[in-house]
């Protein structure tokens, strides 16, 4: 009986892990480095959001080197913009460089804002206003990277306005903001890691009643006959399902509130 119980518990664990949304990496992933597929330029996700501080630091570095805002936006467009903005020698980089090039999903998020700010700088208009009005693709779909990019443009516009009104060095403001943005992203990643355990526990507790029914049947009892064949069983089943649904909703709400920070 003990061996049967251990076997059923192992099968239950395998089912839970198989039903999860995450796929476990193969054990040999650390021993054999497989080539990663190239991401499409339009792909957006958390990896794109993690590269936003690097973009802000690049903008600050270009300004610190003595470039005017119009020159800076033109240079940054050559880095993140489409091929017509890139130099002839870098339009078709080798395959190895393409695989290692960071930010494949970043240009699709930043290109409209960079173009608006560049045009405003060339015409002598307010760059801060252009950044606030910048269109970020994917904001309507609540993409995490798009929402973070939209917030970044708003914060960069505030830095730009503060530099124009107070005379503070814009490069220093942007570098400080890049550090703040990096801390924000690191905190979000830490929350996701900390909440992985509660999410897995919620999933396990949801499946436990079903495993209990299977275990009862395997031990020779008739839990389904008691639950479905008697009035008391129907009452117990209804109360159990209600408590199960309430517990899952409550757990999901707590996890969501913790994830939102």
């Amino acid at each position: 009986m003990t061996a049967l119980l251990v076997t059923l518990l192992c099968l239950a664990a395998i089912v839970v892990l198989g039903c999860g949304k995450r796929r476990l990496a193969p054990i040999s992933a650390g021993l054999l480095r497989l080539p990663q597929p190239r991401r499409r330029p339009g792909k957006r996700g958390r990896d794109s959001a993690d590269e936003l501080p690097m973009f802000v630091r690049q903008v600050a570095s270009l300004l610190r080197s003595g470039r005017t805002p119009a020159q800076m936006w033109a240079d940054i467009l050559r880095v993140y913009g489409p091929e017509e903005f890139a130099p002839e020698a870098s339009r078709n980089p080798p395959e190895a460089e393409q695989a290692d090039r960071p930010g494949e999903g970043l240009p699709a998020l930043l290109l409209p804002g960079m173009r608006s700010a560049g045009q405003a700088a060339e015409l002598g208009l307010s760059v801060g206003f252009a950044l606030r009005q910048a269109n970020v693709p994917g904001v309507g779909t609540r993409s995490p990277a798009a929402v973070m990019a939209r917030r970044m443009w708003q914060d960069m516009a505030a830095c730009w306005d503060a530099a124009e009104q107070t005379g503070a060095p814009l490069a220093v403001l942007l570098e400080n903001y890049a550090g703040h943005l990096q801390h924000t992203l690191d905190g979000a990643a830490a929350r996701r890691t900390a909440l992985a355990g509660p999410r897995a526990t919620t999933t396990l507790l949801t499946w436990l009643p079903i495993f209990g029914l299977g275990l009862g049947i395997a031990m020779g009892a008739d839990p389904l006959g008691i639950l479905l064949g008697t009035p008391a069983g129907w009452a117990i089943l209804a109360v159990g399902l209600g408590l199960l649904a309430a517990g899952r909703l409550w757990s999901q709400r707590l996890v969501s509130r913790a994830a939102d920070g």
Side-chain angles (χ1 to χ4, degrees), residues 78 82-93:
R78 293 189 183 95
E83 291 185 356
E84 59 264 23
F85 293 98
E88 185 69 26
S90 61
R91 290 188 180 180
N92 296 312

Side-chain angles (χ1 to χ4, degrees), residues 164-190:
E164 291 179 351
Q165 295 174 8
T166 65
L170 179 58
V172 175
L173 294 179
L174 291 177
E175 287 175 353
N176 293 336
Y177 169 65
H180 168 74
L181 183 59
Q182 186 66 62
H183 290 313
T184 301
L185 293 173
D186 291 343

Side-chain angles (χ1 to χ4, degrees), residues 2-176:
T2 302
L4 178 61
L5 179 60
V6 172
T7 302
L8 291 176
L9 290 177
C10 292
L11 292 176
I14 293 174
V15 171
V16 172
L17 293 177
C19 293
K21 295 181 180 181
R22 298 180 178 178
R23 293 179 298 179
L24 295 178
I27 299 177
S28 59
L31 302 177
L32 179 62
R33 186 175 181 180
L34 299 177
Q36 298 296 327
R38 183 183 177 184
R39 292 178 291 178
R40 297 181 179 179
K43 185 177 180 180
R44 299 184 293 272
R46 292 195 183 98
D47 52 350
S48 298
D50 293 338
E51 295 160 0
L52 292 176
M54 178 187 65
F55 169 78
V56 179
R57 289 191 178 95
Q58 289 174 339
V59 172
S61 299
L62 290 173
L63 291 174
R64 187 180 287 276
S65 66
R67 286 174 171 80
T68 64
Q71 293 172 344
M72 181 274 296
W73 289 116
D75 291 340
I76 207 72
L77 270 171
R78 293 189 183 95
V79 177
Y80 290 93
E83 291 185 356
E84 59 264 23
F85 293 98
E88 185 69 26
S90 61
R91 290 188 180 180
N92 296 312
E95 189 66 27
E97 296 182 3
Q98 291 181 359
D100 296 335
R101 183 180 179 181
E104 291 291 337
L106 201 60
L109 295 176
L110 302 182
L111 186 58
M114 291 187 294
R115 282 176 171 170
S116 300
Q119 293 173 358
E122 290 179 359
L123 297 176
L125 302 177
S126 174
V127 176
F129 178 79
L131 291 177
R132 287 190 179 89
Q133 301 299 321
N135 180 29
V136 179
V139 173
T141 61
R142 304 299 297 176
S143 168
V147 173
M148 186 62 67
R150 176 64 175 170
R151 186 181 305 172
M152 183 202 68
W153 286 135
Q154 299 293 325
D155 295 338
M156 288 184 65
C159 294
W160 215 283
D161 292 341
E164 291 179 351
Q165 295 174 8
T166 65
L170 179 58
V172 175
L173 294 179
L174 291 177
E175 287 175 353
N176 293 336

